[in-house]
Amino acid sequence: MTEDNRSPSEKWLEARAPGFQHLPVSDRQAIYDFAFLWSLFESQVMENFARADRIRERVDAWSAEGTLGAELYDEELAHFRGRYFSDGALIPHFPYLNLRKSDHPELVQAVIERNNNDPRDRMLALLMIVWRLRNNLFHGAKWAYELRDQQSNFTHANSVLMRLLERHGVAAYRW
């Protein structure tokens, strides 16, 4: 945004939030979009209450119903595999996901390393990554490095959320 059409909150963030003034507009937009998309996802898909175990339940239900469509998210999974795994090893970004025990860290790692290519597990791993991006953003961990280098993460997470909303959200049923 240009100087003239920035919102008061954006001006405030530029003046006070570490590194925000140096964050490109495209990075800001991807993060803004993520906040809205996550809120809609949590409302329409997670019935207003997302947790790792409830996300797993949804993935298991989609798998049982035959509506999982894990292959539809291959591009996004490829991004995160490249972000967290290279030359046969996890790279330093991976621990910063801050995966908790309930986030299925072993499964996420196995999928990222391509040791597990089961469609249900790929989908669950992808959603656990999006879940951690959400938690790390909304609970402040992403500010440790001033939100730098996050545009592609949030752009791919946004694609996942939009596709899930189209396939499994309340609006998908046109009530």
Side-chain angles (χ1 to χ4, degrees), residues 31 34-35 38 42 49-52 55 96-100 102-103 128-145 147 154:
I31 294 167
F34 180 81
W38 179 268
E42 188 157 354
F49 192 60
R51 287 190 327 234
I55 292 170
Y96 292 106
L97 280 173
N98 297 318
L99 291 163
R100 308 293 196 260
S102 62
D103 300 331
M128 287 297 106
I129 292 168
V130 173
W131 167 247
R132 291 314 309 167
L133 289 174
R134 175 255 186 230
N135 288 341
N136 293 340
L137 176 66
F138 293 157
H139 296 291
K142 293 250 175 245
W143 286 103
Y145 41 90
L147 299 171
F154 284 107

Side-chain angles (χ1 to χ4, degrees), residues 42-69:
E42 188 157 354
S43 169
Q44 291 194 359
V45 178
M46 300 305 302
E47 298 174 352
N48 298 318
F49 192 60
R51 287 190 327 234
D53 62 329
R54 296 200 62 207
I55 292 170
R56 187 199 68 242
E57 290 168 5
R58 287 287 189 268
V59 170
D60 288 343
W62 298 331
S63 183
E65 295 166 0
T67 61
L68 186 64

Side-chain angles (χ1 to χ4, degrees), residues 54-153:
R54 296 200 62 207
I55 292 170
R56 187 199 68 242
E57 290 168 5
R58 287 287 189 268
V59 170
D60 288 343
W62 298 331
S63 183
E65 295 166 0
T67 61
L68 186 64
E71 70 283 353
L72 299 173
Y73 305 87
D74 286 346
E75 179 181 335
E76 292 81 9
L77 181 58
H79 163 75
F80 290 113
R81 281 177 165 162
R83 170 97 176 154
Y84 300 118
F85 188 75
S86 181
D87 296 325
L90 292 173
I91 62 174
H93 292 298
F94 187 76
Y96 292 106
L97 280 173
N98 297 318
L99 291 163
R100 308 293 196 260
K101 184 176 172 80
S102 62
D103 300 331
H104 309 282
E106 297 86 11
L107 180 140
V108 173
Q109 182 173 339
V111 169
I112 292 298
E113 293 175 337
R114 290 188 167 85
N115 293 327
N116 179 343
N117 209 31
D118 178 76
R120 178 260 186 198
D121 293 348
R122 289 192 337 255
M123 192 70 201
L124 182 56
L126 185 58
L127 283 176
M128 287 297 106
I129 292 168
V130 173
W131 167 247
R132 291 314 309 167
L133 289 174
R134 175 255 186 230
N135 288 341
N136 293 340
L137 176 66
F138 293 157
H139 296 291
K142 293 250 175 245
W143 286 103
Y145 41 90
E146 302 174 352
L147 299 171
R148 286 188 312 268
D149 302 320
Q150 295 299 306
Q151 180 187 7
S152 62
N153 283 342

